[in-house]
Amino acid sequence: MTGALAIGVSERSGARVVPDVSVRRIAGTVRFEGLGKTYTSSAGEVQALSDINLEIEAGEIYGIIGRSGAGKSSLLRSINRLESPSEGRVLVDGEDIAGLNEAGLIRLRRRIGMIFQHFNLLASKTVRENVALPLLIAGVPKDEAATRVAEVLKLVGLEGKEDTYPSRLSGGQKQRVGIARALVNRPEILLCDEATSALDPETTLSILRLLRDINRRLGLTIILITHEMSVIREVCHRVLVLERGQIVETGPVWQVFARPQHDATQALLAPLKRDLPADLAARLRPRAESLTDLHVVELTFAGEAAPDLAALSAAINGPVRLVQAAVERIEGHAIGRLVVLLPGRADLARLPLAARSLGHVAADD
Amino acid sequence: MSPQMIDRLISAFFDTVLMVSASAGIAVVAGIPLAVFLVISGPGGFFPAPRLNRVLGAIVNGFRAVPFIVLLVALIPFTRLVTGTTIGVWAAVVPLAISATPFFARIAEVSLREVDPGLVEAAQSIGASRWQIVRHVLLPEALPGIIGGFTITVVSMIGASAMAGAVGAGGLGDVAIRYGYQRFDTTIMVVVIVILVALVSLVQISGDTAVRRLRAR
């Protein structure tokens, strides 16, 4: 049915606030220039990424989405040089990171925190020791390290768990330890590698809220990769859709949700999409067969303001029966899709919203 | 049993303990770095040195292939070079250590290899140097396995030390052969076996307890 919109009704209250420009830091920009990555495997050469050009601004939450094998992981790992590109350049705060020697690379990595799908915590160390590890290896004095560990553990809500070993923590708590470890060096960029993919929906939401909170309070750039559009919708400002190593779509999240351009984006949005209710779909016929038949119409909108329902009714001068609705606000933009039943004679051209006829049903109920 | 025999047993017991602990110490000091190097220099490691890795791997396999009793004799010139003698406890420590080191290194290598590569990646992402990754990630995470492997090594060394009588090193095995077997003294034989069983059990139980404590966290 509709390909235009794919959103569920969200409980999220209020729009996400774009970080205030005045608190934005200059540090934390990432720029890809003609980035390419080719792997040599037993099956021959595999092009994981090709011609990636992208600029990520300081202080934004940037989402990279794609199906598995799309190259998301390689792209993310090229930012802290866990993987080196085959072509092109990666610039962090304007500096080409390919030119860094080992000491320079270590300094760069201390400015970039990273969290992982499987948390990657040391089983042999307590929560405190795990979080303190980046400071220990950076040679931060013990007193200062203790203060900073306590600070970040408070930030992620893990006070009281300092002496617990990771095996005794829940998945959400483990990821909070991972976040604390990534933040303790006070990075300007946080990389999230499928950080919520191993978590249940409720925990996912709490971790995403934490990330959003951290982004707002510390002003750091967050770059996350995921295969779930709901994650993008929840926290990201801008999104990039990656398909077979190439950028197929980029833009503000609300735009990509409202008007997805590429098949890959549509496919990724599909899990959030609702089909026409089955009972209605079964009764649908292409043409009106009697004067009392109702017209099934899909209305879509994407813009600043939410639609005025009274105006809708006034435009067709008759009853409007709402069958299905998916409405959402993403960064102050109302986007949505309504399925309504209108009198058969209603003139769709007069409706204040983009309308598309889905068919007709008998008015027998 | 005569008082002299009891004295002989006591002194043999301490000879065995000395031989085994000295060579176990050497096996740890040499075996762990060897194991670490074999892991990090191998395919997929973060300190690639494929040629040296293959050479070391071949040497390790070579020593593992030679039966201890043969190694004991074959190494006599080397032992004389190191200790200045070819008889006694210290003359046995040299071949025991040389035989135990590759054995222990291979077992430690398995445990080190089992450390999740994600942990190494996480350590790299926080700016850890290679040495720091070994020190703070690989070794602590593999420790339960390494201790388990060390227990196995020590137990097999207690067994091997019985052959050290061949170079006049003494020890419990020597007493059992000379008195228990050659002089048909069943009592001595039984006593030696009981002591060896107790010693091995003690080592095994201590190792298991340490591993269990580490894994329980």
Side-chain angles (χ1 to χ4, degrees):
Chain A
M1 38 161 300
T2 171
L5 265 179
I7 24 181
V9 175
S10 163
E11 292 184 346
R12 202 169 84 226
S13 56
R16 217 168 305 127
V17 185
V18 180
D20 185 354
V21 179
S22 62
V23 301
R24 269 195 195 175
R25 304 186 306 178
I26 304 134
T29 66
V30 177
R31 189 183 162 110
F32 300 101
E33 288 178 356
L35 194 79
K37 172 91 187 174
T38 312
Y39 289 102
T40 316
S41 74
S42 52
E45 296 217 320
V46 182
Q47 183 93 27
L49 291 171
S50 62
D51 197 31
I52 303 289
N53 290 289
L54 179 71
E55 182 137 19
I56 297 171
E57 286 164 24
E60 74 174 323
I61 306 184
Y62 202 99
I64 298 169
I65 189 166
R67 292 178 264 207
S68 44
K72 314 182 287 280
S73 183
S74 295
L75 188 57
L76 192 77
R77 280 167 171 70
S78 70
I79 299 170
N80 60 357
R81 233 175 83 184
L82 285 176
E83 283 188 31
S84 298
S86 324
E87 302 135 41
R89 307 200 295 166
V90 181
L91 294 98
V92 175
D93 293 333
E95 188 188 15
D96 183 355
I97 64 167
L100 297 172
N101 58 14
E102 184 154 351
L105 185 60
I106 284 173
R107 272 198 303 277
L108 173 83
R109 285 176 176 167
R110 285 178 188 158
R111 282 160 46 209
I112 304 177
M114 187 165 183
I115 58 173
F116 303 87
Q117 179 175 4
H118 298 295
F119 326 119
N120 294 354
L121 303 176
L122 301 180
S124 59
K125 291 182 163 55
T126 62
V127 166
R128 191 201 310 274
E129 289 164 343
N130 265 286
V131 175
L133 187 62
L135 302 176
L136 178 71
I137 64 174
V140 173
K142 272 207 174 120
D143 291 354
E144 198 196 329
T147 317
R148 276 164 68 175
V149 169
E151 222 173 78
V152 286
L153 283 177
K154 186 164 181 243
L155 181 71
V156 302
L158 278 180
E159 296 142 296
K161 295 279 179 197
E162 289 87 349
D163 298 314
T164 310
Y165 284 94
S167 60
R168 312 242 178 238
L169 298 176
S170 69
Q173 289 172 326
K174 283 181 192 166
Q175 196 55 288
R176 282 168 193 270
V177 178
I179 293 171
R181 179 176 67 183
L183 292 181
V184 79
N185 258 335
R186 299 184 177 148
E188 51 201 53
I189 299 170
L190 177 65
L191 308 179
C192 308
D193 177 14
E194 297 272 8
T196 57
S197 299
L199 302 175
D200 62 56
E202 200 186 333
T203 316
T204 294
L205 212 55
S206 78
I207 291 295
L208 293 177
R209 287 197 177 122
L210 175 64
L211 291 176
R212 197 161 65 210
D213 189 45
I214 286 164
N215 166 259
R216 218 174 290 169
R217 279 162 68 174
L218 310 179
L220 85 176
T221 311
I222 296 180
I223 304 169
L224 62 87
I225 63 175
T226 180
H227 59 272
E228 290 169 313
M229 269 294 185
S230 55
V231 168
I232 300 285
R233 179 183 61 192
E234 203 59 43
V235 290
C236 294
H237 302 125
R238 289 201 296 158
V239 63
L240 174 165
V241 183
L242 208 59
E243 173 77 352
R244 291 191 191 137
Q246 289 178 313
I247 298 179
V248 294
E249 198 158 344
T250 60
V253 170
W254 74 271
Q255 268 182 14
V256 172
F257 269 78
R259 286 186 274 276
Q261 306 294 320
H262 195 273
D263 290 348
T265 318
Q266 313 259 10
L268 288 161
L269 284 167
L272 302 179
K273 205 151 77 177
R274 300 234 183 120
D275 287 336
L276 200 62
D279 66 316
L280 198 65
R283 287 160 46 208
L284 210 60
R285 46 198 191 212
R287 291 182 197 293
E289 284 170 17
S290 92
L291 281 173
T292 58
D293 270 7
L294 295 173
H295 201 171
V296 184
V297 177
E298 179 196 65
L299 303 171
T300 54
F301 57 92
E304 299 289 327
D308 179 346
L309 298 179
L312 199 62
S313 178
I316 55 140
N317 194 20
V320 176
R321 293 161 74 191
L322 185 58
V323 176
Q324 197 178 33
V327 294
E328 174 100 61
R329 268 181 91 78
I330 299 178
E331 288 180 25
H333 295 272
I335 59 177
R337 165 181 164 269
L338 310 175
V339 176
V340 292
L341 298 182
L342 305 176
R345 59 183 161 73
D347 179 6
L348 299 191
R350 293 175 58 192
L351 289 169
L353 300 174
R356 190 165 75 98
S357 171
L358 300 177
H360 300 263
V361 286
D364 56 359
D365 53 311
Chain B
M1 229 177 347
S2 66
Q4 293 98 311
M5 202 59 229
I6 291 173
D7 282 350
R8 197 167 282 135
L9 273 172
I10 290 172
S11 123
F13 173 79
F14 283 111
D15 280 350
T16 295
V17 169
L18 180 63
M19 269 189 287
V20 170
S21 36
S23 24
I26 296 170
V28 168
V29 171
I32 287 181
L34 183 59
V36 168
F37 186 80
L38 285 172
V39 170
I40 66 175
S41 67
F46 55 83
F47 194 93
R51 198 165 298 169
L52 192 52
N53 181 280
R54 272 197 296 274
V55 169
L56 273 178
I59 293 175
V60 165
N61 288 345
F63 276 102
R64 298 263 292 105
V66 181
F68 179 66
I69 190 79
V70 177
L71 198 68
L72 194 65
V73 181
L75 280 174
I76 282 176
F78 179 71
T79 305
R80 183 184 291 125
L81 195 74
V82 175
T83 61
T85 173
T86 57
I87 52 166
V89 169
W90 294 103
V93 166
V94 173
L96 262 179
I98 287 176
S99 144
T101 301
F103 180 76
F104 176 57
R106 278 290 187 221
I107 298 179
E109 185 192 351
V110 172
S111 305
L112 288 164
R113 237 178 250 294
E114 274 168 9
V115 174
D116 181 358
L119 299 183
V120 174
E121 194 180 41
Q124 286 172 327
S125 81
I126 59 173
S129 66
R130 294 175 215 198
W131 158 244
Q132 285 170 330
I133 295 173
V134 171
R135 158 88 180 72
H136 295 294
V137 178
L138 284 186
L139 289 176
E141 291 294 308
L143 192 61
I146 291 177
I147 291 179
F150 182 65
T151 309
I152 296 174
T153 308
V154 171
V155 168
S156 79
M157 283 167 79
I158 293 173
S161 76
M163 298 173 210
V167 292
L172 288 168
D174 187 37
V175 171
I177 298 289
R178 279 198 287 141
Y179 296 89
Y181 174 62
Q182 287 165 353
R183 298 191 192 173
F184 308 104
D185 191 337
T186 313
T187 317
I188 295 290
M189 193 60 118
V190 170
V191 169
V192 166
I193 289 171
V194 168
I195 294 173
L196 282 174
V197 168
L199 189 60
V200 166
S201 305
L202 182 71
V203 168
Q204 192 65 51
I205 290 166
S206 318
D208 289 349
T209 309
V211 172
R212 206 175 324 109
R213 286 226 179 110
L214 286 173
R215 294 228 174 177
R217 3 183 245 205

